[in-house]
Amino acid sequence: MKGKAKQMEKQRLRSLEAVVFDMDGLMFNTEALGERCMRTVLAQHGYTLTHEFYLKMVGSSGKITRAMQFAEFGEDYPHDLLARQTHDLMQSEIKTHGLEIKPGLMELLAFLKQEKIPCCVASSTRHAGVENYLQIAGIQDYFQFIVGGDEVNLSKPNPDIFLKALEKAKVSSSDALVLEDSINGIKASRAAAIPVICVPDMIMPPKDIRAHCLCLVDSLDHVITLLK
């Protein structure tokens, strides 16, 4: 995106009608937790999860990551069993240690509530999983609705999730803002023609992907400065 075009987009942020949040890696530190738990479970069954392979799965739907794991580990890979055990281990960790909220989230949510800017979540995670995490964190009341990966035919990097969010919010793409951490999320927001701000988590998007963002910020509270 050219400098002048980016400046025009930033000016539009002052008249926002909706902010669309990703979840894993953006609001919660669940990507790193997921990697630790998955590596532990796979090791118990004789499989090795590399950091590089895990990063390839970040931001993708369960259907896509399932296919990726069969391609990586073989057709006899017990995906459903290991996925269930990984999920159970994650839930145990969250129950014991809590759900780690990313820096700046609470400040940004409070600001958006004060400014009466509606918020929603559009995540590749299933709707029930998103709802569960929002309730655990006690922030469900900040969001008008959720669009989960199980509610659309095609998940990120396809634009379906964000287009559905626009439809439910009854706003145009130019009046919304997406907050994302993943490459697939940035690609999806671009395909939906929604301005996006990236808050990198485990992956720093390459230069060609960063070009599609209004900007990159270190933490969510930095978004407040852009909206003022």
Side-chain angles (χ1 to χ4, degrees), residues 29-42 49 54 86 89-90 93 100 202:
N29 196 30
T30 44
E31 296 290 12
L33 174 62
E35 180 180 11
R36 293 197 301 272
C37 292
M38 186 175 180
R39 178 173 291 113
T40 297
V41 169
L42 263 64
L49 176 69
Y54 186 82
T86 299
L89 181 56
M90 283 188 67
E93 289 289 315
E100 185 179 349
M202 299 182 74

Side-chain angles (χ1 to χ4, degrees), residues 212-228:
H212 302 315
C213 302
L214 292 178
C215 60
L216 274 72
V217 295
D218 293 331
S219 60
L220 287 165
D221 54 323
H222 290 177
V223 176
I224 298 173
T225 303
L226 297 173
L227 298 181
K228 284 184 176 180

Side-chain angles (χ1 to χ4, degrees), residues 12-219:
R12 281 196 204 128
L13 295 183
R14 297 172 185 172
S15 58
L16 269 182
E17 294 184 17
V19 177
V20 185
F21 285 73
D22 177 44
M23 186 183 73
D24 293 299
L26 181 88
M27 293 198 289
F28 307 125
N29 196 30
T30 44
E31 296 290 12
L33 174 62
E35 180 180 11
R36 293 197 301 272
C37 292
M38 186 175 180
R39 178 173 291 113
T40 297
V41 169
L42 263 64
Q44 293 172 348
H45 292 266
Y47 295 94
T48 299
L49 176 69
T50 66
H51 181 61
E52 292 72 22
F53 178 66
Y54 186 82
L55 291 183
K56 292 178 182 179
M57 297 189 289
V58 169
S60 298
S61 69
K63 183 178 180 180
I64 292 174
T65 58
R66 188 176 194 274
M68 291 175 67
Q69 288 170 56
F70 279 123
E72 177 75 8
F73 300 118
E75 294 183 0
D76 59 346
Y77 175 72
H79 173 275
D80 293 352
L81 171 64
L82 273 57
R84 185 168 61 252
Q85 291 181 355
T86 299
H87 174 269
D88 291 346
L89 181 56
M90 283 188 67
Q91 297 311 304
S92 176
E93 289 289 315
I94 291 171
K95 184 176 181 180
T96 302
H97 303 291
L99 187 59
E100 185 179 349
I101 294 175
K102 296 300 287 284
L105 175 63
M106 299 310 301
E107 291 86 347
L108 177 57
L109 289 176
F111 172 80
L112 294 172
K113 181 178 181 179
Q114 175 184 310
E115 297 298 314
K116 297 181 171 56
I117 301 174
C119 301
C120 66
V121 180
S123 170
S124 296
T125 298
R126 294 177 64 85
H127 187 285
V130 176
E131 190 171 40
N132 180 46
Y133 280 180
L134 295 183
Q135 290 176 349
I136 290 174
I139 60 174
Q140 68 274 18
D141 292 341
Y142 285 100
F143 300 96
Q144 275 61 47
F145 61 85
I146 295 166
V147 180
D150 55 327
E151 297 178 70
V152 294
N153 292 325
L154 297 172
S155 191
K156 305 171 188 177
N158 295 283
D160 298 34
I161 284 179
F162 291 140
L163 293 175
K164 190 174 184 68
L166 293 178
E167 180 184 349
K168 293 185 73 170
K170 298 180 181 179
V171 300
S172 66
S173 60
S174 61
D175 294 324
L177 171 69
V178 166
L179 301 177
E180 267 285 356
D181 69 287
S182 73
I183 293 173
N184 280 341
I186 294 169
K187 288 180 177 179
S189 66
R190 180 171 186 254
I194 309 174
V196 58
I197 292 175
C198 178
V199 190
D201 179 37
M202 299 182 74
I203 305 172
M204 175 59 71
K207 186 176 181 180
D208 62 323
I209 299 297
R210 296 199 301 270
H212 302 315
C213 302
L214 292 178
C215 60
L216 274 72
V217 295
D218 293 331
S219 60

